[in-house]
């Protein structure tokens, strides 16, 4: 199990190819829960130490559930885009199974989140940098997952990923930006 994790993180081409041949949703869900749960748990427990344990645990559970739902929906969006682009040979189950493995960078970056939490408010830039590194590493793993599942090259997988992020930006962020700009201009 450790070898597969290492291959996914550092030898991504071989690691993703092996995982697509034997997709395991439960192991993927375990890694997702472990990665996102530890990263969120360390951050929450460091900065909300004065709160009750029930409050901290509810925040961790809510973040894990929201992230799992969002990642699953994003996987279906990626599969739909790939089918629209003509990559009909892909397996959506394998893609959904690989999405849990793409969050493994956050497990690797958890000690950095602990350090950022121990630094207090001075650790916010470090936590921001860790989140940025984790998200970029996760996007890289998503490109590799698309390559392995749909048997395409990295350029096409990267373009698909960027197109999906543009769609998410248009749907979720752009309306808020336009509304905020209109609100500022009215004053």
């Amino acid at each position: 199990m450790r070898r597969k994790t290492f291959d996914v993180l550092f030898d991504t081409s071989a690691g993703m190819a092996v995982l697509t041949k034997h997709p395991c949703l439960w192991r993927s869900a375990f890694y997702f829960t472990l990665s996102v749960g530890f990263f969120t748990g360390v951050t929450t427990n460091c900065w909300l130490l004065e709160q009750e344990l029930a409050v901290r645990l509810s925040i961790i559970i809510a973040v894990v559930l929201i992230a799992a739902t969002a990642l699953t929906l994003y996987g279906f969006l990626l599969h739909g885009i790939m089918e629209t682009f003509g990559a009909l040979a892909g397996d959506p189950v394998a893609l959904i199974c690989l999405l849990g493995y793409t969050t493994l960078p956050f497990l690797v970056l958890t000690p950095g989140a602990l350090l950022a939490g121990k630094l207090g408010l001075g650790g916010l830039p470090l936590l921001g940098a860790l989140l940025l590194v984790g998200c970029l590493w996760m996007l890289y793993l998503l490109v590799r997952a698309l390559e392995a599942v749909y048997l395409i090259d990295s350029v096409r997988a990267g373009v698909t990923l960027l197109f999906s992020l543009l769609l998410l930006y248009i749907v979720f962020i752009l309306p808020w930006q336009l509304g905020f700009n209109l609100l500022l201009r009215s004053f």
Side-chain angles (χ1 to χ4, degrees):
M1 195 153 95
R2 285 183 286 175
R3 182 67 193 166
K4 285 182 183 178
T5 306
F6 181 82
D7 286 346
V8 167
L9 287 171
F10 301 109
D11 188 16
T12 55
S13 181
M16 291 295 183
V18 168
L19 290 175
T20 53
K21 292 179 181 140
H22 305 287
C24 180
L25 186 59
W26 294 111
R27 187 177 295 151
S28 177
F30 171 73
Y31 281 137
F32 169 80
T33 305
L34 196 70
S35 301
V36 176
F38 277 0
F39 193 86
T40 306
V42 163
T43 306
T44 303
N45 286 328
C46 285
W47 276 320
L48 300 176
L49 195 57
E50 295 82 25
Q51 299 293 326
E52 295 179 21
L53 183 61
V55 172
R56 291 182 281 167
L57 283 176
S58 63
I59 290 172
I60 295 167
I61 290 170
V63 167
V64 168
L65 289 176
I66 290 169
T69 305
L71 197 61
T72 304
L73 292 175
Y74 184 65
F76 287 123
L77 171 73
L78 281 176
H79 177 68
I81 291 171
M82 290 306 296
E83 283 201 353
T84 303
F85 286 163
L88 300 175
D91 182 13
V93 175
L95 180 63
I96 297 301
C97 288
L98 285 180
L99 289 179
Y101 289 97
T102 61
T103 60
L104 280 172
F106 291 104
L107 184 62
V108 173
L109 298 173
T110 298
L114 178 63
L115 177 64
K118 294 293 182 188
L119 292 175
L121 291 178
L124 282 176
L126 176 62
L127 184 65
L130 289 172
L131 282 171
L132 180 66
V133 167
C135 288
L136 290 176
W137 198 351
M138 183 179 167
L139 290 177
Y140 172 72
L141 291 178
L142 278 171
V143 167
R144 289 300 197 172
L146 286 175
E147 284 180 68
V149 171
Y150 295 98
L151 304 175
I152 57 174
D153 60 342
S154 60
V155 173
R156 189 170 177 189
V159 167
T160 303
L161 193 68
L162 289 177
F163 181 68
S164 68
L165 292 175
L166 176 67
L167 285 178
L168 291 176
Y169 170 77
I170 289 171
V171 171
F172 292 112
I173 297 173
L174 188 62
W176 289 99
Q177 281 183 333
L178 292 175
F180 187 69
N181 285 339
L182 288 174
L183 184 66
L184 285 178
R185 288 185 185 180
S186 67
F187 290 121

